[in-house]
């Protein structure tokens, strides 16, 4: 594809992987593949367990199901290409495929963040105003919150690929990354990219500031309510219901904040370190969340153990 000048637009990008660690790509692919398997297996078990256990048909677990489905989609949007790079030397990616991958990664991450906010709100209502829990978090409200998360993600992520599509790419097509990361692609354009950079930082900041602000507000209210309880046992039980959610928040936002800050301000941070953290940001959450909820949530833990031990007893008979 050419324009009116002598320049020719590039039709594909070359994903390097992790610069400086190319010789170790085949080994790096092993934990990446294990994280994918863990994410798919763990989230599938969570979904099936919640579906089969009537006592888990509550708003908090419906949100957890949404998170599990979204996490599997997020892992699928990035890991297959990563493994292609690490194991098959499949570095090339079509221009439009790259933009599609970028869109889905951003959309799924924004949905993840919104679902964490919804789960924080669920804990706030359950602990601070328990008498109104069933009237506020109805099935209809849960569905609306899920659809709202998807709508927000679509509206926020969709302009990114469109803004890149209008940029000319003539000579540079090498992306020093394991996937089509927004700023890594923008930097290769042969034109002024101020609008793209402004869009990228505004979306990242709005999602983090707004969502983390809402989560923090929910937990401040929760702590205030918990410490007003007279019974130590009641306080421990109330805080225990939030433990899994807090672990999930840390697993999601910690690498995200590190990646965001180092990309814009960490000039002395080696590119390989930044890329590893940016990749972990997309992989750790989907793999760890099922383990956290499986260990920390008694109803899920008991149901999963029941399923496995039931099968064991049948085989013994």
């Amino acid at each position: 594809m050419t324009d009116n000048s002598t320049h020719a637009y590039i039709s594909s990008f070359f994903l390097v992987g992790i610069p400086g660690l190319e010789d170790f790509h085949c080994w790096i692919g092993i934990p990446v593949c294990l994280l994918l398997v863990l994410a798919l297996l763990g989230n599938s078990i969570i979904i099936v367990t919640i579906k089969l256990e009537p006592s888990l048909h509550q708003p908090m677990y419906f949100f957890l199901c949404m998170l599990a489905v979204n996490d599997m989609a997020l892992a699928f949007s990035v890991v297959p290409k990563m493994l292609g790079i690490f194991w098959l030397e499949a570095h090339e990616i079509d221009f439009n495929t790259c933009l599609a991958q970028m869109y889905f990664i951003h959309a799924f991450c924004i949905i993840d963040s919104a679902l964490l906010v919804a789960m924080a709100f669920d804990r706030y209502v359950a602990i601070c105003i328990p008498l109104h829990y069933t009237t506020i978090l109805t099935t209809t409200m849960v569905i609306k919150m899920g659809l709202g998360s998807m709508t927000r993600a679509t509206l926020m992520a969709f302009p990114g690929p469109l803004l890149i599509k209008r940029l000319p790419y003539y000579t540079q097509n090498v992306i020093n990354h394991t996937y089509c990361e927004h700023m890594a692609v923008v930097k290769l354009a042969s034109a002024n990219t101020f609008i793209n950079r402004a869009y990228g930082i505004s979306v990242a900041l709005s999602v983090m500031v707004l969502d983390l602000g809402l989560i923090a507000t929910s937990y401040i209210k929760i702590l205030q309510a918990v410490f007003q309880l007279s019974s130590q046992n009641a306080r421990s039980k109330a805080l225990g219901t939030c433990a899994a959610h807090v672990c999930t928040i840390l697993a999601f936002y910690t690498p995200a904040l590190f990646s965001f800050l180092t990309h814009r301000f960490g000039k002395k941070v080696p590119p390989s370190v930044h890329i590893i953290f940016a990749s972990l940001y997309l992989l750790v959450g989907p793999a760890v969340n099922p383990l956290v909820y499986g260990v920390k949530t008694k109803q899920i833990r008991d149901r999963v153990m029941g399923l496995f031990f039931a099968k064991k007893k049948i085989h013994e008979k």
Side-chain angles (χ1 to χ4, degrees):
M1 183 170 64
T2 61
D3 57 6
N4 294 330
S5 66
T6 58
H7 293 296
Y9 287 108
I10 62 171
S11 60
S12 63
F13 291 111
F14 184 92
L15 289 167
V16 172
I18 305 177
L21 298 177
E22 288 89 349
D23 293 339
F24 301 97
H25 274 178
C26 61
W27 298 105
I28 295 172
I30 294 173
V32 169
C33 183
L34 289 176
L35 285 172
L36 175 63
V37 172
L38 190 59
L40 296 180
L41 182 61
N43 284 298
S44 296
I45 290 174
I46 289 289
I47 293 168
V48 171
T49 301
I50 292 173
K51 178 179 173 60
L52 295 177
E53 180 55 56
S55 66
L56 297 178
H57 294 175
Q58 301 173 29
M60 181 174 77
Y61 301 108
F62 293 151
F63 287 131
L64 182 56
C65 268
M66 294 180 196
L67 187 68
V69 171
N70 192 70
D71 280 348
M72 287 193 289
L74 176 59
F76 258 122
S77 69
V78 66
V79 174
K81 186 58 185 178
M82 274 190 194
L83 294 178
I85 295 169
F86 294 150
W87 286 346
L88 305 175
E89 296 293 324
H91 294 273
E92 190 171 356
I93 184 170
D94 179 74
F95 186 91
N96 290 323
T97 303
C98 183
L99 297 186
Q101 185 192 52
M102 181 192 306
Y103 166 76
F104 283 116
I105 289 173
H106 287 175
F108 292 140
C109 286
I110 295 170
I111 291 173
D112 250 15
S113 185
L115 289 174
L116 291 177
V117 174
M119 293 167 83
F121 178 70
D122 171 270
R123 291 300 81 206
Y124 162 74
V125 176
I127 294 172
C128 297
I129 42 177
L131 296 179
H132 299 284
Y133 184 80
T134 55
T135 56
I136 294 175
L137 283 167
T138 61
T139 302
T140 302
M141 177 57 70
V142 171
I143 293 171
K144 286 181 178 179
M145 292 172 76
L147 292 175
S149 300
M150 293 175 61
T151 303
R152 185 187 77 149
T154 301
L155 294 175
M156 294 185 80
F158 196 64
L162 292 181
L163 289 172
I164 288 177
K165 191 79 172 175
R166 70 181 181 84
L167 296 173
Y169 286 83
Y170 297 137
T171 55
Q172 300 184 74
N173 75 328
V174 178
I175 301 174
N176 289 313
H177 220 297
T178 55
Y179 59 89
C180 291
E181 198 269 336
H182 178 257
M183 288 307 301
V185 176
V186 168
K187 288 178 179 178
L188 301 180
S190 305
N192 186 298
T193 58
F194 173 78
I195 294 176
N196 300 76
R197 292 171 184 270
Y199 159 79
I201 196 168
S202 63
V203 168
L205 285 176
S206 62
V207 170
M208 286 190 181
V209 172
L210 176 62
D211 291 1
L212 279 175
L214 291 172
I215 290 171
T217 301
S218 295
Y219 274 97
I220 289 171
K221 296 288 187 183
I222 287 170
L223 289 174
Q224 288 175 343
V226 167
F227 287 119
Q228 288 175 358
L229 297 173
S230 57
S231 169
Q232 176 64 37
N233 185 49
R235 286 198 294 267
S236 299
K237 187 176 180 181
L239 290 174
T241 63
C242 302
H245 185 238
V246 171
C247 292
T248 302
I249 291 169
L250 292 175
F252 180 80
Y253 284 110
T254 302
L257 285 169
F258 181 87
S259 177
F260 175 78
L261 293 173
T262 55
H263 196 75
R264 279 147 181 94
F265 308 112
K267 303 299 182 184
K268 294 183 180 180
V269 178
S272 58
V273 173
H274 165 69
I275 291 167
I276 289 171
F277 266 87
S279 301
L280 286 175
Y281 161 53
L282 302 179
L283 298 176
V284 171
V288 169
N289 290 346
L291 294 176
V292 169
Y293 275 94
V295 171
K296 293 289 185 180
T297 308
K298 186 178 184 300
Q299 296 97 316
I300 293 178
R301 184 174 67 248
D302 291 346
R303 179 64 184 183
V304 171
M305 294 296 288
L307 286 172
F308 282 104
F309 279 111
K311 288 181 179 180
K312 186 176 179 181
K313 288 177 182 177
I314 291 173
H315 286 305
E316 286 177 353
K317 289 180 180 180

